[in-house]
Amino acid sequence: MDEKHSFKIESLGEPRFKSPLQLSTVKGDRIFNFIGESERLVFNPSLEHYNHCFTTRDSPLCMEKAGPRQDIFFEPEKVTAAIVTCGGLCPGINNVIRGLVMALHYFYGVKKIIGIPYGYEGLNPAAGHGFMELTPDKVKDVHQFGGTFLGSSRGAQEVSLMVDTLEENHVDMLFAIGGDGTLKGVNAIGEEIAKRKAKISVIGIPKTIDNDIDLIDESFGYGTAFDVASSILKDAHNEATGAYNGISIIKLMGRDSGFIAASATLAMPVVNFVLVPEMDFELEGENGFLAALEQRLQQKKHAVIVVAEGAGQHLFKDRKGIKDASGNVKHEDIGVFLKEKIAAHFKNTPISIKYIDPSYIIRCAPANSSDSVYCSRLAYHAVHAAMAGKTRLVSCKVNNTYVYIPISEVTKQRKKIDLEGEFWFSVLQSTGQPFFM
């Protein structure tokens, strides 16, 4: 058994009701089967791990397969479900909201679904936001738009107060759509619920365009983000090639992980340098970035540079360490910093620099087709988990299969690019930037 993780899913109790879904329990009848409680998937599918378990007779670490259960915990007609969206905006949030409402209403016949406005702040009565009734008619078109239909906010609220609000409004299940901070928050809500021995299911749907949620294949919105960014890179390339020694600098989101910058670079292979938080590059010196850029301009007379917002923070000597409402350290502006350093380095050489920061446009874009499919399926699996009385889990995809994983496991650390991995090697091959930089 892998000692680092425990994938046991918590439950509110024994299921007492039969699912209203007209599914099958028989293989071969061409009707989708209910998922059995014992169905598991191996987390590490490598042959090396298989041989290790075979030799040591250890049980492999397994995940619970996502999907509808034949026996459910809640009586659907009496359920009150709540949905909240927290943190920064991200493509696909509205798709998930729509998917949750449609699944609750049409799959299970849930009659009362409430939207909590403006994130966890909406669970604090003192904020005065009230609740929003959600129906299929209200959400049927929201997927066509970016942002969040419910509104969002950053910052923590008192956990006991939020649980008080849930209990006072007879909420049976809470779906929280958000990133690392949101998931930690809903897990804390789940802990408080357990202390009170209350029967409220809390489910997380992992959202962050940075794709920095650990263990899972990817978080929704990430695919759309680098899709939208890739066309911007094409235009930036046109700007760079349109001038002698033209340089385009494009800053993309990526506080601690550079997945958007790296994937956009692969999707639109006109980028010559990509700088991400995972790499401690130097500006000066023989192996520094400026020397590599100088060589590039001598050879090709233009350069396209993509930089993630969290890259190069080690280059700022007087970092303030100020934190935002979510508790994240506010980064210095690496894009402006690079523009100034490049201009100073080439002060005796004619260059033309264009600096582009499309971050807040990208995160407000509606989900593309691929993300739309992903969001709907995450929402459906989240509803199935809640109806079965499962709690404190995320609906997610691992090894290209939908599973349930405890929230506590995916929030232990942020996922980052492995600089020795094949993905980053592909990025270096695409850009042609020096491996040693």
Side-chain angles (χ1 to χ4, degrees):
M1 177 70 74
D2 190 329
E3 297 296 332
K4 288 169 57 181
H5 297 293
S6 173
F7 289 163
K8 181 176 174 55
I9 300 298
E10 293 184 23
S11 173
L12 297 176
E14 288 297 316
R16 300 169 290 170
F17 305 97
K18 290 296 180 184
S19 172
L21 301 180
Q22 300 299 305
L23 300 180
S24 175
T25 57
V26 179
K27 298 287 186 183
D29 62 0
R30 300 188 179 184
I31 299 174
F32 185 77
N33 290 333
F34 285 111
I35 303 300
E37 282 299 323
S38 62
E39 292 192 49
R40 297 289 187 274
L41 296 160
V42 175
F43 177 66
N44 184 346
S46 70
L47 179 61
E48 179 183 12
H49 186 65
Y50 170 83
N51 286 335
H52 170 77
C53 292
F54 184 80
T55 302
T56 61
R57 297 192 176 184
D58 287 341
S59 296
L61 181 63
C62 292
M63 306 166 291
E64 190 170 308
K65 189 173 182 181
R69 269 50 177 178
Q70 185 174 23
D71 298 311
I72 59 178
F73 181 80
F74 291 104
E75 187 175 4
E77 295 82 1
K78 296 180 179 179
V79 161
T80 295
I83 303 171
V84 65
T85 63
C86 308
L89 300 182
C90 171
I93 298 175
N94 284 334
N95 299 68
V96 175
I97 295 171
R98 184 185 190 278
L100 291 170
V101 173
M102 295 301 184
L104 287 162
H105 181 89
Y106 288 113
F107 298 177
Y108 289 98
V110 173
K111 294 179 172 59
K112 188 173 183 181
I113 309 168
I114 58 177
I116 300 167
Y118 304 113
Y120 288 140
E121 191 176 291
L123 286 172
N124 182 352
H129 297 315
F131 292 145
M132 182 188 304
E133 182 186 2
L134 299 180
T135 64
D137 191 57
K138 275 191 178 178
V139 303
K140 62 185 174 63
D141 297 321
V142 298
H143 63 291
Q144 300 178 39
F145 305 95
T148 166
F149 172 69
L150 293 176
S152 185
S153 68
R154 294 186 184 275
Q157 300 292 323
E158 187 180 336
V159 173
S160 60
L161 180 63
M162 291 192 287
V163 177
D164 286 344
T165 303
L166 294 175
E167 289 190 316
E168 288 165 7
N169 289 275
H170 308 291
V171 171
D172 299 294
M173 52 188 67
L174 173 66
F175 299 94
I177 305 167
D180 183 76
T182 303
L183 296 177
K184 287 178 179 176
V186 79
N187 197 49
I189 290 173
E191 289 177 348
E192 178 64 20
I193 288 169
K195 287 178 184 175
R196 301 186 187 192
K197 300 190 183 326
K199 301 300 181 183
I200 305 173
S201 170
V202 295
I203 307 291
I205 297 105
K207 170 232 75 176
T208 164
I209 59 174
D210 288 358
N211 194 37
D212 59 359
I213 302 295
D214 198 28
L215 304 180
I216 69 176
D217 288 356
E218 66 180 56
S219 49
F220 78 81
Y222 159 64
T224 300
F226 74 76
D227 184 10
V228 175
S230 63
S231 63
I232 295 170
L233 300 189
K234 179 180 66 176
D235 295 337
H237 176 255
N238 293 338
E239 277 286 352
T241 56
Y244 178 75
N245 282 343
I247 300 171
S248 286
I249 305 169
I250 308 93
K251 186 177 78 171
L252 298 176
M253 283 189 161
R255 178 185 297 277
D256 300 298
S257 306
F259 287 103
I260 293 178
S263 291
T265 294
L266 284 172
M268 185 56 65
V270 296
V271 178
N272 310 114
F273 299 94
V274 58
L275 309 174
V276 295
E278 291 86 346
M279 58 188 290
D280 291 330
F281 65 94
E282 295 300 326
L283 281 180
E284 311 290 344
E286 183 181 352
N287 295 333
F289 165 71
L290 293 173
L293 176 59
E294 190 172 330
Q295 185 176 10
R296 165 73 192 181
L297 291 181
Q298 289 172 356
Q299 294 174 346
K300 299 294 184 179
K301 308 306 178 189
H302 75 276
V304 178
I305 304 160
V306 172
V307 58
E309 63 177 315
Q313 295 301 304
H314 61 286
L315 300 174
F316 294 91
K317 295 177 181 177
D318 299 317
R319 293 186 66 188
K320 300 178 181 65
I322 299 172
K323 294 186 178 182
D324 62 19
S326 297
N328 299 309
V329 174
K330 288 185 177 181
H331 287 321
E332 304 294 332
D333 195 327
I334 184 62
V336 172
F337 177 84
L338 276 181
K339 181 182 178 181
E340 292 173 350
K341 291 295 183 181
I342 291 170
H345 182 80
F346 291 98
K347 62 183 178 182
N348 296 321
T349 303
I351 60 171
S352 175
I353 305 177
K354 300 294 188 298
Y355 174 54
I356 304 164
D357 182 359
S359 299
Y360 289 98
I361 295 173
I362 291 172
R363 76 175 197 168
C364 291
N368 63 14
S369 297
S370 178
D371 255 330
S372 295
V373 171
Y374 188 32
C375 289
S376 293
R377 296 181 74 182
L378 287 174
Y380 299 160
H381 286 302
V383 170
H384 295 316
M387 293 304 302
K390 299 178 187 299
T391 189
R392 295 176 64 190
L393 62 84
V394 289
S395 167
C396 59
K397 189 164 66 171
V398 179
N399 300 331
N400 206 35
T401 304
Y402 290 88
V403 295
Y404 299 138
I405 293 182
I407 295 172
S408 57
E409 294 300 318
V410 301
T411 55
K412 285 182 175 178
Q413 61 183 14
R414 297 286 182 97
K415 181 167 69 174
K416 294 179 178 289
I417 295 174
D418 178 4
L419 295 183
E420 294 186 20
E422 189 275 334
F423 174 67
W424 182 245
F425 178 51
S426 296
V427 175
L428 296 181
Q429 290 177 104
S430 176
T431 62
Q433 71 190 58
F435 289 6
F436 55 77
M437 193 182 72

